[in-house]
Amino acid sequence: MMEPTILQSTWFWLIGILIAGYTLLDGFDLGMGWWMLTTKDEKERNSLMNAIMPYWDGNEVWLITAGGALFAAFPPVYATVFSGFYLAMMLVLFALIMRAISIEFRHQLPSAKWQNNWGQVFGISSLLASLLFGVAAGNLLWGIPMNAGGDFTGTLLTLLNPIGLFSGVVSVAFMVMHAGLFGSLRTTGELKKRILTGAQGAWGLFAVLLAAYVGITAARNPLMASYHDTPMLYIFPVLAFGLTLAVGVAIKYQHLRSAFTCSSLSILLLFVCMGLMLFPNMVYAVNNPEFSLSAANASSSELTLKVMTIITAIMLPIVLAYTIWIHRTFRGSVSDELHY
């Protein structure tokens, strides 16, 4: 296998950072769909929706940017993933569209039935997107069948394999926990107490599922060779799981901001673990490793990567600054009045 250049390696990790940033930021409002489905009180639903209202559309900038960067930096990877996962991607797109529509439409009429129906749409579409994102990540981490031309040779049912679905369930558990911690920081009273209790349960489920997933991966995933070759890398999954356990401790002692911080750091470290497993592969061919698409054999020209690096050096700090500013500006508790 060819060794990637510095720029190719840089863009492998930059795209990983963008996807991790999206998961971290949009994770808490995707997971909020579960909490919308668990209450029938419209005032509570208003509080939950108000909690994410300033952030949700800005969070999705990270997903759009990641897709654009993948298209420009690694066109064959973009082509394989978006064409091979076509039906799954259409389902994700449908879920994200319905989710956005529900947010925009829910406040338009004072009818309780109208608001309840769109709240249901928001909850279901959010959970569907969470599940499918996890399925996609699981398939990329474990590999997909490909031919010599780099084309996916399976079907939608190929992607919905047991390990892919397991990855999706782990994804949903994380996002429900992450959203619960975020919601507990933004709400008050009985709603805050109930969300926190639910978040503790979601944490327990996520910790168990994560431990099982890591165990299966360590035992059976062929990409674990990178860890076996460099045992020092095991420090990253150990730290990630340690932070996951710290979330439960922080919840128990009511250190909610610490719990949310540990949750955020744990998912970032899990992405580091995934990146270390895959690198330099970007799409691993499970049927024949020779057919895999890597950072070395699927990248754009060095000139393209140089230009992209310059643009990113200017734009990424702006996106980070905007994200930090919006979270600082709208921090604190929200009301239960319906507003937009």
Side-chain angles (χ1 to χ4, degrees):
M1 181 181 293
M2 293 186 298
E3 289 297 320
T5 65
I6 293 175
L7 277 176
Q8 290 168 338
S9 300
T10 299
W11 274 98
F12 173 94
W13 289 105
L14 277 175
I15 290 171
I17 288 170
L18 292 172
I19 296 173
Y22 171 73
T23 306
L24 168 63
L25 294 170
D26 213 33
F28 64 71
D29 58 64
L30 282 170
M32 198 62 76
W34 168 262
W35 302 106
M36 287 285 285
L37 292 173
T38 57
T39 178
K40 296 186 181 299
D41 188 298
E42 283 305 315
K43 286 193 173 183
E44 289 189 350
R45 287 183 172 176
N46 291 342
S47 295
L48 295 173
M49 193 64 76
N50 291 340
I52 65 169
M53 197 65 74
Y55 315 115
W56 75 270
D57 48 356
N59 292 342
E60 295 194 348
V61 169
W62 290 78
L63 180 63
I64 296 168
T65 305
L70 184 64
F71 172 77
F74 302 101
V77 175
Y78 181 93
T80 295
V81 172
F82 280 77
S83 61
F85 293 14
Y86 185 79
L87 288 177
M89 289 292 182
M90 288 300 100
L91 285 173
V92 170
L93 185 60
F94 175 76
L96 293 178
I97 289 173
M98 293 306 298
R99 182 168 166 268
I101 290 173
S102 67
I103 293 173
E104 296 291 341
F105 278 20
R106 183 175 175 272
H107 71 287
Q108 298 291 348
L109 291 178
S111 163
K113 184 176 181 181
W114 172 274
Q115 293 172 13
N116 176 68
N117 288 342
W118 283 114
Q120 295 284 330
V121 171
F122 173 81
I124 294 169
S125 58
S126 296
L127 291 179
L128 177 60
S130 303
L131 177 70
L132 292 174
F133 281 134
V135 170
N139 277 281
L140 290 174
L141 189 62
W142 283 78
I144 59 174
M146 296 166 60
N147 60 26
D151 299 318
F152 175 59
T153 58
T155 65
L156 177 61
L157 292 179
T158 305
L159 301 177
L160 299 177
N161 56 75
I163 196 66
L165 291 172
F166 189 15
S167 302
V169 173
V170 175
S171 170
V172 171
F174 167 76
M175 291 184 183
V176 170
M177 175 194 75
H178 199 52
L181 296 173
F182 183 78
S184 68
L185 290 169
R186 299 279 284 162
T187 56
T188 57
E190 289 301 315
L191 177 60
K192 179 187 183 83
K193 293 178 182 177
R194 189 159 53 78
I195 290 179
L196 192 55
T197 300
Q200 190 166 27
W203 163 78
L205 178 62
F206 173 63
V208 170
L209 290 175
L210 181 62
Y213 192 85
V214 169
I216 294 170
T217 302
R220 301 188 61 182
N221 194 313
L223 293 174
M224 282 298 295
S226 57
Y227 283 88
H228 300 327
D229 294 341
T230 312
M232 283 291 292
L233 295 180
Y234 280 104
I235 188 66
F236 292 102
V238 170
L239 286 173
F241 195 72
L243 283 166
T244 301
L245 295 179
V247 171
V249 176
I251 293 175
K252 180 179 179 180
Y253 291 101
Q254 301 287 301
H255 299 312
L256 304 186
R257 197 165 297 279
S258 296
F260 184 72
T261 300
C262 288
S263 175
S264 302
L265 292 175
S266 69
I267 197 61
L268 293 179
L269 274 172
L270 286 172
F271 269 96
V272 171
C273 296
M274 290 170 61
L276 291 171
M277 281 183 65
L278 282 170
F279 186 79
N281 295 298
M282 299 196 72
V283 184
Y284 178 70
V286 68
N287 55 309
N288 187 343
E290 295 295 322
F291 298 162
S292 300
L293 297 176
S294 70
N297 67 18
S299 76
S300 296
S301 67
E302 287 286 298
L303 177 59
T304 299
L305 297 180
K306 285 179 183 177
V307 173
M308 289 178 64
T309 302
I310 294 170
I311 294 172
T312 302
I314 297 170
M315 298 305 299
L316 187 57
I318 294 174
V319 175
L320 285 170
Y322 161 81
T323 302
I324 293 170
W325 177 80
I326 205 76
H327 278 266
R328 287 183 61 84
T329 301
F330 291 97
R331 66 186 183 275
S333 300
V334 295
S335 71
D336 59 11
E337 295 179 7
L338 181 63
H339 65 271
Y340 187 68

